[in-house]
Amino acid sequence: PRYPNAATTPSTRLITRVSHAPAALLTPTTGCASMRNLWLIFMTTQAALQQEDDPRASPTIKLSNGVVMPRVGYGCAGKASARYVERALREGVRLIDTAQADEWYDEAAAADGLRASGVSRDDVTVVTKLHPKNHGATTARRLIDESAQRFGGYVDVFLQHYLACWDGLCGKNWRNTVEGDWRDSWRAMEAAYDEGLVKAIGVSNVGPREVDELVKFARIKPHVVQAWMDPFHASVELRKTCEKHNIRFMAYSTLGTQWSMQGRANPVLSSSKLREFGDPARVALSWALLRNAVVIPRSFSNERIAANARLYDGGVLTVGLDAAALEAIDALDGTLDQSDDVQAVFANDGDENVVLLWKGPDGDVEVGSAAPGASVEISTYRGHEFAAKLHRHEEAFATYQIGAARRQTFRVRDPEAGPDL
């Protein structure tokens, strides 16, 4: 991991098959009232189905199992407090995305905000995610039960946050503490789905290969995949894979926050190309919606929360982007310099264990540790900053700025043992 780091419904396929019948069967015969009625029913049904799956005219989307959910939600990353969740729901949002990872989310606060909003639980789609440190049949089931209880007896969409652990996410001893792997957790999720504790299941932070592997393994195929999607990082191949398997795609960081977490300027909100079509934030979200993604923008601004909640007005998308505009935005994908990827090696030249911390926007995050004479290698980005501290000390004794070289080595030596090299 790096630090931080439209599918056809069964009913649509049925209509498609009917539309391939001989023309004589689809054309009302003069003087045959019953055939004319059937024709009108057919055309009305077809139009309704097309509108239902058209993001311009439908603020909801249907999953492969028939579950319907909103296309626009509120993302709770950054530990959104109950008052922001409540505000989003009062503004009209009917989907909230949270997680069990208390490093970035506060699932309990999301539940509190839902209760405080006065909106009926049945009217809100709740998405939450399993922390990879809780992989395993028994552990995952326990955490599913806890989330279901927290949100009134069930969860609408339950995802695996990551398929695997790493030191910085699950702790340096995770190999000894994590019960099982993603396969065990998926079986637990399938059982919970069978029992009605969750209405849909899926995964987050995966690539096309992982989706293909999951589909082969699963008894109940994933309904939702959640991943990073913005105009400069459009996840095209992943979305194609989801479409192939009739999986709905949910986009996070559509407003460019992943770039900011890499220590770079936000290219989405500052894009002159997006500004040609209107407010960059609303344009980016509308582009993603028109590419059949569900969006979950995060904001702690009451004004922005309200604006995002009104991306649809009267069931119609308020930002009109024609085919030329969509293609122009599509063309932004991959245009940013990708050479900012860096492999950073931290070699401990001291005589005590050293803890490494990534200095993220929400505070320090432990990403690994190195015994004396050992090294830790981390995939990161230019501009990121790390710190080193001893296990027995709370304060860091050195900080390290990631430069432009594709591979960089930092010699770490605590000051009590001599100068840091």
Side-chain angles (χ1 to χ4, degrees):
R2 300 192 182 276
Y3 288 92
N5 238 347
T8 303
T9 63
S11 56
T12 306
R13 288 200 297 270
L14 175 61
I15 293 300
T16 302
R17 288 198 293 272
V18 172
S19 68
H20 290 161
L25 296 179
L26 298 178
T27 306
T29 304
T30 303
C32 182
S34 60
M35 282 299 292
R36 285 199 299 271
N37 290 337
L38 286 173
W39 170 255
L40 290 173
I41 292 171
F42 167 77
M43 294 302 294
T44 301
T45 303
Q46 187 178 44
L49 287 170
Q50 290 174 343
Q51 181 173 349
E52 181 182 80
D53 207 42
D54 181 2
R56 296 182 186 275
S58 175
T60 61
I61 196 168
K62 184 181 290 186
L63 306 183
S64 62
N65 62 353
V67 169
V68 175
M69 68 180 186
R71 294 181 188 268
V72 179
Y74 178 72
C76 298
K79 294 192 173 184
S81 66
R83 72 185 183 96
Y84 289 112
V85 176
E86 178 185 356
R87 179 66 180 239
L89 292 169
R90 289 185 180 276
E91 291 290 353
V93 170
R94 290 298 179 264
L95 183 152
I96 55 175
D97 174 79
T98 185
Q100 297 170 357
D102 55 15
E103 304 96 315
W104 308 306
Y105 294 83
D106 188 339
E107 192 184 71
D112 290 342
L114 172 54
R115 284 190 292 271
S117 72
V119 178
S120 170
R121 169 66 184 89
D122 291 340
D123 292 336
V124 178
T125 297
V126 173
V127 182
T128 194
K129 298 176 277 292
L130 179 77
H131 197 297
K133 69 182 179 183
N134 295 317
H135 276 319
T138 302
T139 308
R141 180 52 193 258
R142 175 171 57 82
L143 271 295
I144 293 170
D145 290 345
E146 288 182 8
S147 288
Q149 183 177 12
R150 179 167 283 152
F151 288 104
Y154 66 97
V155 170
D156 298 272
V157 182
F158 192 89
L159 309 176
Q160 293 189 19
H161 210 150
Y162 289 91
L163 297 188
C165 274
W166 68 90
D167 288 359
L169 182 60
C170 301
K172 62 181 180 180
N173 199 37
W174 65 267
R175 293 171 183 83
N176 300 318
T177 59
V178 178
E179 177 198 348
D181 66 10
W182 67 265
R183 297 168 184 84
D184 304 309
S185 298
W186 191 261
R187 293 297 184 230
M189 291 163 63
E190 289 176 327
Y193 177 83
D194 289 337
E195 297 168 27
L197 286 175
V198 297
K199 294 184 177 182
I201 53 180
V203 289
S204 180
N205 297 300
V206 292
R209 182 183 60 80
E210 289 86 358
V211 174
D212 286 335
E213 183 179 357
L214 172 57
V215 168
K216 290 179 182 178
F217 172 81
R219 175 175 61 85
I220 298 172
K221 307 302 187 224
H223 306 105
V224 175
V225 163
Q226 185 185 99
W228 173 17
M229 176 190 178
D230 70 36
F232 296 90
H233 184 279
S235 293
V236 175
E237 293 306 314
L238 178 57
R239 288 190 287 123
K240 287 180 179 178
T241 301
C242 290
E243 184 175 4
K244 176 179 69 176
H245 294 301
N246 200 15
I247 301 169
R248 292 302 193 182
F249 186 89
M250 182 179 293
Y252 68 70
S253 295
T254 309
L255 298 181
T257 52
Q258 288 296 309
W259 302 101
S260 301
M261 293 172 75
Q262 296 173 20
R264 305 174 63 167
N266 186 320
V268 176
L269 299 184
S270 61
S271 171
S272 59
K273 175 57 67 175
L274 296 182
R275 193 169 295 280
E276 290 178 13
F277 308 110
D279 172 68
R282 291 176 63 79
V283 169
L285 292 170
S286 298
W287 162 80
L289 289 165
L290 290 168
R291 289 312 185 206
N292 229 19
V294 174
V295 297
I296 46 173
R298 174 188 71 174
S299 180
F300 298 144
S301 158
N302 290 337
E303 180 181 357
R304 275 295 175 188
I305 290 173
N308 294 338
R310 289 165 176 75
L311 282 167
Y312 283 91
D313 184 12
V316 177
L317 188 61
T318 58
V319 178
L321 297 173
D322 60 19
L326 290 172
E327 290 176 5
I329 297 170
D330 288 340
L332 296 174
D333 182 37
T335 58
L336 293 187
D337 181 12
Q338 297 300 312
S339 65
D340 283 355
D341 295 10
V342 174
Q343 291 298 118
V345 179
F346 296 88
N348 184 1
D349 288 344
D351 55 9
E352 293 188 50
N353 287 351
V354 168
V355 177
L356 291 168
L357 308 168
W358 172 64
K359 302 185 75 64
D362 298 318
D364 292 348
V365 179
E366 183 175 334
V367 295
S369 63
S375 299
V376 175
E377 184 167 339
I378 297 172
S379 298
T380 184
Y381 297 92
R382 180 174 62 183
H384 274 191
E385 188 174 354
F386 292 83
K389 74 180 187 68
L390 300 176
H391 273 290
R392 58 188 173 87
H393 287 170
E394 290 298 320
E395 298 298 322
F397 62 78
T399 59
Y400 307 90
Q401 187 81 25
I402 304 300
R406 299 301 299 275
R407 185 174 181 86
Q408 300 166 46
T409 299
F410 300 90
R411 317 302 301 188
V412 181
R413 184 177 178 90
D414 76 88
E416 295 178 12
D420 180 43
L421 304 177

